[in-house]
Amino acid sequence: MNAPTSVTVRVPAKVNLRLAVGPVRGDGYHGLVNVFHAVSLYDEVTVSPRSDLAPGQAVLSVDGERPDHVARVPLDDSNLAARAAALLARHVPHATGVHIHVHKAIPVAGGMAGGSADAAAALVACDALWEGGTPRERLLELAAELGSDVAFPLIGCTAVGTGRGEQLSPLPVQGTFHWVFALVDGGLSTAKVFAEYDRLRPDAPEPTLDDALVAALAAGDARRLGAALTNDLQPAALALRPELGDLLEAGRAAGALGALVSGSGPTCAFLAESADHARELAAALRASGTCADTVTAHGPVPGATVV
Ligand code: C5P
């Protein structure tokens, strides 16, 4: 069989249903109990061989519907997708240089793990392109080496992440939940939000899972899920971007079952009762003038998939 000439992988964004953050550890990371939920907002990553580049070396290009987001994607070796190609190339026999093209729909630096999703997609796409046959467990380990949020988009659906967020166990979920994501101008640095968290919470307790959240997911109960959503990084994100408080309040006033900053922000997530309710909520949020735009999505959805 001939090797493929290009491989495209579709990969979902995530929202954190619970982000419990413990004290800072000796290695500078924070112990987390992080409930990841994959939603139907996808980047597409296409890799094709480049014979003029060394094995594992990558050139990047990016396009997408939001020029302000596209412009913020780094096109050099600091891009996590390029680092994913370089890392995998050290572990498979027939690696080549690659062109990595990212079609972006996930907000950039938005707290929805878009950069991590692209890295996960690049691992899967390069492994298929290079016919590496890397076992899933090994891909998960390589993903965890790249960043705390890179392993989750490989498995998708809903999972709890412990350690620095990279040790994953799937959580049972019934049915589908409907979401609105409110986009705001500019991004937030994850490292800066964690640093602000340390300033606000020098006494942070050890993070725990919440039985009410687990039960709401297992029952497919959106109302109970909405009441159980929490994010310990939210006060830190609000301290850095106080205007997000008005956005969350606008969503609650418009009938969201739950409202929270997604991950380290600044994107905010709102839980709706149904797909119709999500569309109404999105319209109300846009009319409130507290966000730049909205997208609707549902979850859980599967992880990175070759298309
Ligand atoms: O692992 P990743 O590179 O995605 O993390 C980005 C930054 O977020 C880290 O440099 C660190 O400042 C912060 N972080 C943390 N604790 C975690 C995960 C991330 O402090 N568990």
Side-chain angles (χ1 to χ4, degrees):
M1 203 177 81
N2 291 332
T5 52
S6 76
V7 176
T8 298
V9 168
R10 192 169 87 138
V11 65
K14 62 85 182 161
V15 57
N16 303 90
L17 306 180
R18 175 178 183 81
L19 184 42
V21 181
V24 67
R25 313 189 307 199
D27 62 1
Y29 284 89
H30 294 73
L32 304 180
V33 173
N34 191 350
V35 178
F36 293 104
H37 181 68
V39 294
S40 62
L41 176 60
Y42 301 98
D43 280 357
E44 277 190 2
V45 175
T46 301
V47 298
S48 32
R50 279 280 297 256
S51 55
D52 55 327
L53 301 176
Q57 207 184 346
V59 288
L60 283 139
S61 57
V62 58
D63 68 1
E65 278 161 35
R66 298 175 201 281
D68 54 324
H69 284 253
V70 167
R72 291 207 300 270
V73 177
L75 296 179
D76 59 12
D77 291 350
S78 69
N79 188 300
L80 216 45
R83 283 161 53 193
L87 179 64
L88 183 68
R90 296 206 291 276
H91 295 274
V92 299
H94 304 298
T96 62
V98 279
H99 174 207
I100 302 176
H101 180 74
V102 180
H103 182 71
K104 263 244 150 266
I106 305 175
V108 176
M112 298 191 74
S116 298
D118 297 347
L123 281 178
V124 173
C126 287
D127 196 52
L129 184 73
W130 299 334
E131 300 180 309
T134 306
R136 191 179 171 77
E137 279 309 310
R138 186 74 189 117
L139 280 183
L140 286 167
E141 285 168 14
L142 295 176
E145 247 180 76
L146 289 164
S148 312
D149 286 353
V150 182
F152 174 69
L154 292 175
I155 69 167
C157 302
T158 305
V160 56
T162 54
R164 62 182 167 87
E166 86 291 7
Q167 293 162 28
L168 299 169
S169 339
L171 279 179
V173 176
Q174 204 178 119
T176 295
F177 297 103
H178 298 275
W179 297 92
V180 181
F181 298 96
L183 314 185
V184 298
D185 290 329
L188 269 175
S189 147
T190 304
K192 281 194 186 138
V193 174
F194 272 103
E196 180 65 14
Y197 175 80
D198 290 337
R199 201 182 64 78
L200 294 173
R201 292 297 306 273
D203 55 341
E206 286 303 322
T208 57
L209 191 55
D210 171 22
D211 292 342
L213 174 73
V214 174
L217 288 168
D221 188 327
R223 217 159 261 284
R224 276 158 61 200
L225 177 62
L229 298 171
T230 57
N231 178 359
D232 283 354
L233 292 181
Q234 185 163 305
L238 290 179
L240 297 172
R241 297 286 293 271
E243 69 276 17
L244 297 180
D246 296 335
L247 171 55
L248 292 172
E249 198 38 54
R252 290 187 197 105
L257 302 181
L260 84 175
V261 171
S262 179
S264 55
T267 305
C268 290
F270 302 89
L271 183 61
E273 284 172 38
S274 62
D276 282 346
H277 182 221
R279 280 188 286 274
E280 287 165 27
L281 198 52
L285 282 164
R286 289 193 303 274
S288 75
T290 55
C291 61
D293 203 358
T294 58
V295 286
T296 55
H298 62 269
V301 296
T305 312
V306 176
V307 295

